Amino acid sequence: MSNWVVLGSGNVATQFARMLSQHKHKIMQVYSPSLSRARDLAKLHPPAEATQHIDKINKTADYYLIAVSDNAIRDIVAQLDKDIAGTILHTSGATDMQVLEKFSRYGVLYPLQTIHKNQDVDYSTLPLAVEGNGSSISQELLTIANSISKHVYQYNSKQRLAAHVAAIFVNNFTNSLFQVAYDILKEQDMPFEIVNPLIEKTAKAALSNIPKDVQTGPAARNDNQTIQKHLDFLKGNIERERLYRILTEEIKKQQNKPTKI
Amino acid sequence: MSNWVVLGSGNVATQFARMLSQHKHKIMQVYSPSLSRARDLAKLHPPAEATQHIDKINKTADYYLIAVSDNAIRDIVAQLDKDIAGTILHTSGATDMQVLEKFSRYGVLYPLQTIHKNQDVDYSTLPLAVEGNGSSISQELLTIANSISKHVYQYNSKQRLAAHVAAIFVNNFTNSLFQVAYDILKEQDMPFEIVNPLIEKTAKAALSNIPKDVQTGPAARNDNQTIQKHLDFLKGNIERERLYRILTEEIKKQQNKPTKI
């Protein structure tokens, strides 16, 4: 088992520290610009120490996990000693591995899931994508990841970015459509729960099919009369009408129907 | 228990016939312009008879369930004898109850779920929205619906249309975003299954929260640097780029962030 320094104290740092500890890795140190947050995380993983000074970072660890917001990665990399012998890792989907190229050993451990620090996560089902600078580092990371999760993938930086963009579509954008539905129902004094079974069914159907093969509704049927009724209903709310039109066009394109509404 | 004529032989007609039979209602007759399809459905519900002639429809039933595509409802209504004594119902979310006003007794039974004729549906969890022309008809329909499902709602035609539009957002549009993600991953030789846990988690989170309260990602954080990386990745695919921009703006609006990207 190996020795780790965790840089960061947020959701991803907290969950990675827990996942590594559970698998008998040792958290030597936690770094955060906020000493109290570094201490909060460190005390969960004794004998981990806390520091808010990046020049006080222990130089003898095997791995340095940079688990901070994407915008803060470059800043941390700039401040870290380039002669660190251990392997420097980041956890970002949208950040190229080469941001770490000043170090001699580096790679990426990316969790394909939104994780909150206070949630209980079953790490064995957490998809992990790994990338290493060179096959021996990749192999080390695969070994660590496989000991934690049953869903480990080896992807390059472009693939990881694609996975991140795909995740935005299935999670962030989907959730924003749920909010539109919530608002539409609320305005008519109807509870969001009436579409709960449909939300569950939609997710379930996508897990075992190519989504476009299970597409239903007026756009897939090219039922322009119903589409027009819906547009009439949405009239006056420009954003909703625009969303409706564009997503209807998208479905028609996916189903090879004439896209004109 | 009451006597029914089912007009239609598709997914909704088939499931309603089954649901009514299971609850000891009697299907007297099935009408479809295709005699073979009428027969296929009728023989599942003996002693139901089949007909393809609308003027041969039995005049003594308690209920006439028009379960056909939205575009065909008016045509059936025009052909049905206005002096039928029973209650005429349709099953459409996007069709006003008043399309049935030539009859003396009428109403709506609308299932808030996409149902396929060959699926096993647990009707007790199927949300049913009812509307009756007058309180005594509404009461009858509520009694029937409550005997079938634990999730029965009484909604007027505008509310039903709102529910239908909301269903389009949470099902049809969501599924089209899944397809975009599928394609993005496929182009990089990655399986759609890597985002399965995220799809499940997104659906689950929406069931017990107001969606915007559990929104994550770069748009919700106003992280324009990541958004720009994603737009660069999507460059060259105008539809995807447009979807990304519009849905990012929608999230920012929902989160009260500056919408400019």
Side-chain angles (χ1 to χ4, degrees):
Chain A
M1 298 300 109
S2 44
N3 296 324
W4 293 67
V5 170
V6 172
L7 297 98
S9 58
N11 294 322
V12 176
T14 302
Q15 291 286 2
F16 262 105
R18 195 180 302 160
M19 146 183 11
L20 291 163
S21 282
Q22 278 181 12
H23 289 82
K24 312 296 179 209
H25 296 282
K26 181 174 158 194
I27 312 296
M28 302 178 72
Q29 195 178 33
V30 175
Y31 159 81
S32 167
S34 154
L35 186 59
S36 70
R37 294 189 56 170
R39 280 184 177 147
D40 285 346
L41 182 51
K43 73 182 175 206
L44 298 174
H45 303 285
E49 294 179 346
T51 182
Q52 66 180 145
H53 301 291
I54 207 155
D55 54 347
K56 296 265 172 62
I57 278 179
N58 188 313
K59 300 285 166 54
T60 67
D62 301 307
Y63 295 97
Y64 297 80
L65 187 80
I66 305 176
V68 299
S69 67
D70 288 9
N71 301 340
I73 295 174
R74 275 175 199 279
D75 198 39
I76 295 223
V77 168
Q79 294 177 69
L80 270 180
D81 185 344
K82 77 174 177 51
D83 294 325
I84 285 177
T87 304
I88 319 291
L89 305 171
H90 76 62
T91 59
S92 162
T95 305
D96 200 283
M97 180 176 71
Q98 294 310 321
V99 73
L100 304 172
E101 66 186 346
K102 80 174 209 186
F103 305 107
S104 50
R105 296 175 54 84
Y106 55 92
V108 178
L109 264 182
Y110 168 55
L112 262 110
Q113 181 65 284
T114 58
I115 47 183
H116 191 275
K117 63 165 90 175
N118 298 323
Q119 271 169 343
D120 257 334
V121 178
D122 175 1
Y123 300 123
S124 72
T125 65
L126 179 71
L128 286 173
V130 309
E131 180 179 14
N133 176 43
S135 60
S136 89
I137 298 174
S138 295
Q139 204 48 57
E140 273 177 35
L141 296 178
L142 282 172
T143 303
I144 293 169
N146 279 319
S147 75
I148 294 169
S149 168
K150 282 177 281 190
H151 303 281
V152 175
Y153 305 89
Q154 189 174 356
Y155 289 142
N156 63 34
S157 292
K158 187 173 184 188
Q159 288 177 312
R160 198 167 57 249
L161 180 57
H164 198 241
V165 172
I168 300 293
F169 275 87
V170 305
N171 171 280
N172 297 181
F173 292 167
T174 289
N175 194 63
S176 76
L177 298 183
F178 292 167
Q179 184 61 39
V180 174
Y182 180 96
D183 290 335
I184 288 171
L185 293 170
K186 190 149 196 249
E187 287 163 16
Q188 306 295 329
D189 293 318
M190 300 158 86
F192 188 54
E193 65 174 43
I194 66 166
V195 292
N196 279 3
L198 200 49
I199 287 175
E200 282 184 290
K201 191 171 180 180
T202 307
K204 216 167 165 186
L207 303 185
S208 44
N209 295 284
I210 298 176
K212 71 177 171 187
D213 292 349
V214 291
Q215 184 72 58
T216 58
R221 290 195 305 273
N222 205 27
D223 172 359
N224 289 326
Q225 208 170 314
T226 300
I227 290 169
Q228 197 51 56
K229 277 185 196 167
H230 291 166
L231 287 170
D232 290 345
F233 175 82
L234 296 171
K235 195 161 277 175
N237 188 313
I238 293 165
E239 283 98 355
R240 284 183 198 161
E241 221 186 307
R242 185 175 65 159
L243 277 175
Y244 189 98
R245 278 183 193 281
I246 286 171
L247 288 160
T248 293
E249 275 179 34
E250 178 63 30
I251 294 170
K252 288 187 168 201
K253 190 172 64 71
Q254 289 170 3
Q255 303 289 325
N256 298 312
K257 305 279 186 200
T259 54
K260 200 174 160 294
I261 300 170
Chain B
M1 298 300 108
S2 44
N3 296 323
W4 292 68
V5 170
V6 172
L7 297 98
S9 57
N11 294 323
V12 176
T14 302
Q15 291 286 3
F16 262 105
R18 194 180 303 160
M19 149 182 9
L20 291 164
S21 280
Q22 278 181 12
H23 289 82
K24 312 294 179 209
H25 296 282
K26 180 174 160 193
I27 312 297
M28 302 177 72
Q29 195 178 34
V30 175
Y31 158 81
S32 167
S34 153
L35 186 59
S36 70
R37 293 189 57 169
R39 279 183 177 146
D40 284 346
L41 182 51
K43 74 183 174 205
L44 297 174
H45 303 285
E49 292 177 348
T51 181
Q52 63 180 333
H53 301 292
I54 207 154
D55 55 347
K56 296 265 173 63
I57 279 178
N58 187 313
K59 300 286 166 56
T60 67
D62 301 307
Y63 295 97
Y64 296 80
L65 188 80
I66 305 175
V68 299
S69 68
D70 288 9
N71 301 341
I73 295 175
R74 276 175 197 279
D75 197 39
I76 295 221
V77 168
Q79 294 177 69
L80 270 179
D81 185 344
K82 77 175 177 52
D83 294 325
I84 286 177
T87 304
I88 318 291
L89 305 171
H90 77 61
T91 60
S92 162
T95 305
D96 201 283
M97 180 177 70
Q98 295 309 321
V99 72
L100 304 173
E101 67 186 347
K102 79 175 210 186
F103 305 107
S104 50
R105 296 175 54 85
Y106 55 91
V108 178
L109 264 182
Y110 167 55
L112 261 110
Q113 182 65 285
T114 58
I115 47 182
H116 190 275
K117 62 165 91 175
N118 298 323
Q119 271 169 343
D120 256 335
V121 178
D122 175 2
Y123 301 122
S124 72
T125 65
L126 179 72
L128 286 173
V130 310
E131 180 179 14
N133 176 42
S135 60
S136 89
I137 297 174
S138 295
Q139 204 48 57
E140 273 176 36
L141 296 178
L142 283 171
T143 303
I144 293 169
N146 279 318
S147 75
I148 294 170
S149 168
K150 282 177 283 189
H151 303 281
V152 175
Y153 306 88
Q154 188 174 357
Y155 289 141
N156 62 35
S157 292
K158 186 173 184 189
Q159 288 176 312
R160 198 168 57 249
L161 180 57
H164 198 242
V165 172
I168 300 293
F169 275 86
V170 305
N171 171 280
N172 298 180
F173 293 167
T174 289
N175 193 62
S176 76
L177 298 182
F178 292 167
Q179 183 62 39
V180 174
Y182 180 96
D183 290 335
I184 288 171
L185 293 169
K186 191 152 195 250
E187 287 164 16
Q188 305 296 329
D189 293 319
M190 301 158 86
F192 188 54
E193 65 174 42
I194 66 166
V195 292
N196 278 3
L198 199 50
I199 288 175
E200 283 184 290
K201 191 171 180 180
T202 307
K204 215 167 165 187
L207 302 185
S208 44
N209 295 284
I210 298 175
K212 71 177 171 187
D213 292 348
V214 291
Q215 184 71 57
T216 58
R221 289 195 305 273
N222 205 27
D223 173 359
N224 289 327
Q225 209 170 313
T226 301
I227 290 168
Q228 197 50 57
K229 277 185 195 166
H230 291 167
L231 287 169
D232 290 345
F233 175 82
L234 296 171
K235 195 161 278 176
N237 188 313
I238 293 165
E239 282 99 356
R240 285 183 198 161
E241 222 186 307
R242 185 175 66 160
L243 277 175
Y244 189 98
R245 278 183 193 282
I246 285 171
L247 288 161
T248 293
E249 275 179 33
E250 177 63 28
I251 294 170
K252 288 188 167 201
K253 190 173 64 71
Q254 289 171 3
Q255 303 289 325
N256 297 313
K257 306 278 187 201
T259 55
K260 200 173 159 294
I261 300 171

